[in-house]
Amino acid sequence: MTAIESFTGDARPYSGGDPYADYRTADFPFTHLADLADRRLGAGVIAANDEFFAMRENLLLPGRAEFDPEHFGHKGKIMDGWETRRRRGTSAAHPWPAEDDHDWALIRLGAPGVVRGIVVDTAHFRGNYPQAVSVEGTSVPGSPSPGEVLGDDVKWTTLVPRTPVGGHAANGFAVDVPRRFTHLRLSQHPDGGIARLRVHGEVVPDPGWLSALGTFDVVALENGGLVEDASDRFYSPATNTIQPGRSHKMDDGWETRRRRDRGHDWIRYRLAARSEIRAIEIDTAYLKGNSAGWASVSVRDGEGDGADGGEWTEVIPRTRLQPDTNHRFVIPAPVTGTHARVDIFPDGGISRLRLFGSLTEDGAARLTARHRELGG
């Protein structure tokens, strides 16, 4: 696995100007994967032992943390993150926190899945960030309360061991634990503040739920769909196209840079499992002067690469799209596939792609086997 740059120590005190000018970050190899802790998927910070200075909910806010040097409240400086009070020792003779002292926050993932990488972002926490962090994961069925998740009978698996981190930095950790998780416990040692938490990985849906639904969106992120590749991610990630709900602003979709050649842009998807597709939606919501001019959709039935993966079958030919519009297509006969591709001409963007259908018998069996294999 590619080595990941790490950061430790204080950042310089803020001295004015752009607060991100000296922010420390790196290119992490897993950030193209979906954020399983995305609020749009239903994630939440459901408990924390302390949030004296700043609320735990800030951890999962979209976008990067903001900093206002003049923003103070009755408890002190107001930070855009989760910040706990300063821990103290047991006496004047021992005023320092004990070695095992720490604060924790409990996160319910929006979509259970396999975690491939975690980013613990301490943006703007320059001298008040934790000395180290650790992350554990567990899988609890249903909709448990925080007390049930923290019960003595629940087994936790270490995803990130206790590791030193830096202030005002994006601290990234690759994770290699092939199990399905529903909840994480983020700990900071001994105390301090964290601006954002991002949990990148692959959704592993409940096959029993999908089977009960019958017909559903077989490429939706929450149902186990995945963006495998895209021609361009200049303005926004291709994964936005399979997020829940309709887009509510322009950057909540997928938009490419302006082409100055004779080519076109595309996204390739892997479906939740082998499926029969019967209807398709291509939505250009909030893309008005920059929506794609035309689009086509193709399906492939095969898990391999190249010729082994089968041929692409065009199910929607190149069709004119309207700006800020949801386009619906009923396919005359069901089309079976494992992968799909949307091609847009010549550039621009779409906000959502929906492929409505149901799992094939072998697709359902494969999904059930993977769910069991990952401890679901």
Side-chain angles (χ1 to χ4, degrees):
M1 181 173 290
T2 303
I4 293 178
E5 186 176 357
S6 60
F7 308 98
T8 56
D10 293 347
R12 296 192 302 273
Y14 177 65
S15 58
D18 179 6
Y20 274 99
D22 58 343
Y23 177 64
R24 296 178 287 175
T25 188
D27 290 329
F28 303 123
F30 46 73
T31 53
H32 67 285
L33 297 172
D35 180 6
L36 304 181
D38 193 323
R39 285 287 297 163
R40 290 174 293 180
L41 290 173
V45 186
I46 60 176
N49 72 308
D50 186 294
E51 47 187 328
F52 185 85
F53 285 114
M55 300 181 297
R56 65 181 191 259
E57 288 85 358
N58 290 337
L59 282 170
L60 304 187
L61 288 177
R64 63 183 191 174
E66 299 178 356
F67 180 73
D68 181 353
E70 306 299 327
H71 197 190
F72 286 83
H74 63 278
K75 290 184 178 180
K77 182 74 185 72
I78 295 177
M79 297 293 290
D80 184 8
W82 167 51
E83 185 180 7
T84 66
R85 72 193 78 199
R86 299 189 187 213
R87 283 184 171 269
R88 299 301 187 217
T90 56
S91 67
H94 296 280
W96 309 280
E99 177 64 21
D100 293 333
D101 282 352
H102 67 278
D103 293 317
W104 55 265
L106 187 63
I107 294 94
R108 178 192 64 236
L109 297 179
V114 178
V115 178
R116 301 299 186 186
I118 294 174
V119 179
V120 179
D121 192 342
T122 58
H124 315 305
F125 289 94
R126 296 168 177 268
N128 52 347
Y129 60 94
Q131 182 183 33
V133 300
S134 60
V135 183
E136 302 161 280
T138 191
S139 184
V140 182
S143 304
S145 68
E148 290 170 327
V149 178
L150 296 172
D152 293 337
D153 59 332
V154 173
K155 180 183 178 181
W156 291 87
T157 300
T158 298
L159 305 183
V160 178
R162 182 170 174 171
T163 305
V165 294
H168 195 45
N171 300 277
F173 307 93
V175 177
D176 185 18
V177 181
R179 292 187 60 81
R180 178 182 185 266
F181 295 103
T182 62
H183 294 76
L184 300 187
R185 182 164 58 194
L186 169 65
S187 297
Q188 51 178 336
H189 309 264
D191 54 36
I194 297 169
R196 296 288 189 268
L197 176 72
R198 305 297 186 228
V199 182
H200 297 280
E202 301 163 9
V203 176
V204 180
D206 179 353
W209 174 253
L210 296 184
S211 181
L213 290 178
T215 296
F216 59 93
D217 181 0
V218 297
V219 76
L221 182 60
E222 60 190 321
N223 294 332
L226 175 71
V227 169
E228 286 192 331
D229 200 1
S231 61
D232 187 289
R233 298 180 176 89
F234 189 82
Y235 285 114
S236 46
T239 300
N240 281 352
T241 60
I242 54 175
Q243 288 282 2
R246 294 197 73 197
S247 171
H248 293 289
K249 55 180 181 173
M250 190 174 73
D251 67 351
D252 190 24
W254 172 60
E255 182 189 358
T256 71
R257 75 192 82 195
R258 299 188 188 212
R259 278 190 170 269
R260 303 307 189 200
D261 58 20
R262 307 297 290 180
H264 72 281
D265 290 313
W266 51 267
I267 305 174
R268 187 178 74 243
Y269 305 88
R270 187 182 73 205
L271 309 186
R274 192 166 185 252
S275 306
E276 285 191 345
I277 301 166
R278 292 186 285 276
I280 296 175
E281 288 185 357
I282 302 175
D283 196 352
T284 58
Y286 288 87
L287 294 163
K288 299 178 180 180
N290 53 350
S291 66
W294 292 261
S296 64
V297 177
S298 302
V299 173
R300 190 185 79 192
D301 189 17
E303 295 292 347
D305 295 325
D308 294 337
E311 297 293 327
W312 289 101
T313 300
E314 191 174 68
V315 293
I316 296 178
R318 192 180 304 190
T319 301
R320 188 74 167 96
L321 299 183
Q322 300 300 320
D324 195 27
T325 300
N326 192 22
H327 309 76
R328 290 178 171 172
F329 308 90
V330 176
I331 300 175
V335 177
T336 300
T338 58
H339 294 74
R341 192 183 72 222
V342 61
D343 293 88
I344 64 170
F345 303 87
D347 55 26
I350 61 173
S351 61
R352 295 290 188 271
L353 176 72
R354 305 295 189 206
L355 305 179
F356 295 103
S358 54
L359 300 179
T360 62
E361 186 175 340
D362 60 324
R366 180 171 294 187
L367 193 63
T368 299
R370 182 167 186 256
H371 187 265
R372 187 183 301 117
E373 180 182 299
L374 294 171

